[in-house]
Amino acid sequence: MSKKGDQRRDAIVAAAARMFWANGFAATSIAGIAGEAGVPQGNMFYYYRTKADLALAVADVFVEETQSLITEAEAAAVEPRQRIRFLLNRLGQSNRSRVENGCPISAAVRDFRRAAPEASTRAGQSFELIVSFIARELQKTGPRPSIALARARSMVVEWQGGIALAHAFDDMTVLVESLRRAEQSLQIGP
């Protein structure tokens, strides 16, 4: 595909991700995405045949971005707890948008489930990557695999719950406190 075609494809996926997140999957039209991306509506089907295909492309971006974040965390420090702290700090950099719109990944998992189940499953892999990374790093500090996995899930639940409440209350401090509790759980021994 040409460079211009790649740029259009990227613009379409970015527009779809923004609109799915802000408006929901069902309420977002192909025409609206085309307009937001600056692509003629008739050309949309050249890039994505269905809205479900577009949802899958958005989910792929979530997984790719999550993997990049994990790779960045792995390179940021040698000590496992520092790697997890790095990840939590990076996740916290998007607090404002999550207070405004909730979590884009959890919204995708929920919204895609009926009309685009493959995209829902794919978006959920972002959470699997985060939980697996945290569990691996925690395990290096001493806990058995089952304990490390339970603690990793607990950290992600704390973060996601913080996003949900912060969004509901439109209150950034809820999410900041939630991320702080997640980080404090790193102080717990093996």
Side-chain angles (χ1 to χ4, degrees), residues 26-37:
T28 300
S29 68
I30 293 289
I33 294 168
E36 178 82 11

Side-chain angles (χ1 to χ4, degrees), residues 27-61:
T28 300
S29 68
I30 293 289
I33 294 168
E36 178 82 11
V39 174
Q41 184 177 346
N43 290 2
M44 287 292 288
F45 299 103
Y46 173 74
Y47 298 100
Y48 296 98
R49 299 188 70 69
T50 67
K51 198 159 83 167
D53 291 339
L54 196 45
L56 184 57
V58 168
D60 284 341
V61 168

Side-chain angles (χ1 to χ4, degrees), residues 66-80 82-84 86-87 129 132-134 136-137 140:
T66 301
Q67 186 56 62
S68 292
L69 177 59
I70 289 168
T71 300
E72 194 178 336
E74 289 170 337
V78 174
E79 203 276 316
Q82 289 300 323
R83 289 177 169 187
I84 297 170
F86 178 88
L87 177 74
L129 287 168
S132 294
F133 169 75
I134 294 171
R136 277 192 317 272
E137 295 303 312
K140 293 173 187 176

Side-chain angles (χ1 to χ4, degrees), residues 114-128:
R114 290 182 196 250
E118 183 181 0
S120 175
T121 299
R122 180 70 171 149
Q125 289 173 351
S126 290
F127 290 130
E128 291 174 18

